[in-house]
Amino acid sequence: MTSLRWGVLGAANFALNHMAPAIHAARGAELAALATSNPAKAVPFQAFAPGLKVHDSYDALLADPAIDAVYIPLPNHLHVEWTIKALQAGKHVLCEKPIALSDADFDALIAARDKSGKLAAEAFMIVHHPQFQRARELVQGGAIGALRHVDAVFSYYNDDAGNIRNQANAGGGGLRDIGVYTFGAARFVTGAEPLAVPYANLRLENDVDVFAQVAADFPEFTYAAIVSMRLFNRQQVVFHGEKGLLQMTCPFNAGVFDQASLRLETTAGTVTIERFPAVNHYVQQVENFGNCVESGAKYPCPLEFSRGTQKMMDMVFAAGNK
């Protein structure tokens, strides 16, 4: 297996704490370069990747012929611009979510990907976790009978005005930060797309959504979600069928919020619990990305899938602005 040489654009805390170590640990991947204008920010990266090359600008890293793929953890409003620049530089691209801020942004992203012939994708790590593969198998395989309702919740508390998640001009807000997970989880597991969003209660602070209560209609089931940056930590997704109930008790921050597990209860009077204690979905994501680059296999979360989540988010914003 050929090792993919990765570069990281920016010394973001999330890159330092999660994705850079995942790239370093993944099979078939090498954490080779980092772009930052502040050499001090490179030091903690070099602590676990001593051979890391440091570039003083994003453009310099993109010009490095030794780099095969780029991971982009920049603020949300910069994702489209730098994803396209990286593709034009001949790099494969894994960009943090949300990769775009509107459905229309995907036209340029997909065109740049297709023209380059490179793999470009949103870093939507949850679909790489085996709990989501298993949940999809159970729901679509009829383990809970006909699916009639999905509940999703994701919340944490962050009122730091200096944090980009609380800054409108950086594309902040709870929906763009974590709503992508509550929407994308339902779409991935069920394979269905929303028909309408009849209700969205959005609470804004400084033009950034800090609480959202959403109702959506899918072809065969209803959907309800709560997403907030101003509530105590909570996350769960529940798939409610005519003959059973499937609960994902730690769907989004597996191994951090709690241990990933699935709880299946059916009319047969059985309760089955499956646990996934040892999986790092960031490492899985990097390895899947590399495998798809090498083999040409279909990536689990292509831009077209991410576009579907963005379409749903656009529907939510439209409903909330009525």
Side-chain angles (χ1 to χ4, degrees):
M1 181 178 183
T2 304
S3 184
L4 206 62
R5 290 173 58 83
W6 286 83
V8 179
L9 292 191
N13 286 333
F14 188 83
L16 173 62
N17 295 322
H18 296 288
M19 280 301 298
I23 293 170
H24 184 65
R27 293 169 296 178
E30 178 185 349
L31 180 60
L34 172 72
T36 175
S37 59
N38 184 348
K41 290 187 175 182
V43 173
F45 288 83
Q46 292 171 318
F48 60 85
L52 189 72
K53 184 176 181 179
V54 180
H55 292 282
D56 61 5
S57 72
Y58 304 153
D59 286 315
L61 187 149
L62 294 185
D64 187 342
I67 299 302
D68 305 307
V70 172
Y71 167 65
I72 301 176
L74 300 174
N76 295 345
H77 68 297
L78 299 176
H79 288 175
V80 172
E81 174 189 356
W82 284 98
T83 295
I84 291 174
K85 285 183 177 180
L87 288 169
Q88 291 173 339
K91 314 300 185 187
H92 303 284
V93 184
L94 183 64
C95 179
E96 263 312 316
K97 51 78 197 161
I99 195 170
L101 299 181
S102 73
D103 174 25
D105 290 336
F106 280 87
D107 290 337
L109 287 171
I110 290 172
R113 177 201 64 186
D114 293 349
K115 183 177 181 179
S116 71
K118 301 297 181 179
L119 176 58
E122 183 177 64
F124 196 60
M125 76 291 183
I126 64 172
V127 301
H128 302 275
H129 198 290
Q131 70 167 332
F132 270 92
Q133 306 289 335
R134 179 62 171 151
R136 182 169 63 174
E137 177 186 1
L138 289 168
V139 171
Q140 295 192 26
I144 60 173
L147 177 65
R148 295 305 181 209
H149 185 70
V150 177
D151 278 304
V153 60
F154 196 0
S155 64
Y156 66 94
Y157 197 88
N158 176 2
D159 64 353
D160 177 6
N163 189 287
I164 60 173
R165 293 166 183 81
N166 287 302
Q167 297 174 5
N169 60 1
L175 287 169
R176 286 174 173 147
D177 186 37
I178 56 176
V180 291
Y181 295 124
T182 59
F183 301 161
R187 294 180 54 252
F188 181 78
V189 170
T190 66
E193 301 293 345
L195 299 173
V197 176
Y199 178 80
N201 173 24
L202 308 184
R203 181 162 64 86
L204 306 181
E205 293 181 11
N206 299 318
D207 296 323
V208 167
D209 65 279
V210 299
F211 174 88
Q213 183 182 15
V214 176
D217 294 326
F218 283 73
E220 302 296 334
F221 61 90
T222 54
Y223 171 91
I226 290 176
V227 176
S228 181
M229 300 193 301
R230 296 293 193 274
L231 289 174
F232 184 74
N233 295 357
R234 182 184 172 205
Q235 55 182 265
Q236 186 178 47
V237 182
V238 180
F239 300 90
H240 199 161
E242 292 181 350
K243 297 183 178 180
L245 192 75
L246 179 67
Q247 295 174 284
M248 304 185 76
T249 59
C250 179
F252 308 128
N253 292 127
V256 177
F257 175 76
D258 202 350
Q259 183 181 110
S261 68
L262 301 177
R263 184 182 188 277
L264 174 64
E265 182 176 359
T266 71
T267 53
T270 61
V271 175
T272 305
I273 297 175
E274 299 181 41
R275 296 185 175 90
F276 306 84
V279 178
N280 183 314
H281 50 196
Y282 300 113
V283 173
Q284 294 285 114
Q285 176 177 241
V286 174
E287 291 182 350
N288 282 345
F289 190 95
N291 288 337
C292 290
V293 165
E294 183 172 20
S295 68
K298 184 179 179 181
Y299 190 65
C301 182
L303 289 179
E304 288 77 5
F305 176 85
S306 297
R307 181 172 208 162
T309 297
Q310 185 61 55
K311 285 182 177 179
M312 185 172 179
M313 189 168 301
D314 289 352
M315 294 166 69
V316 169
F317 279 124
N321 290 332
K322 290 180 179 178

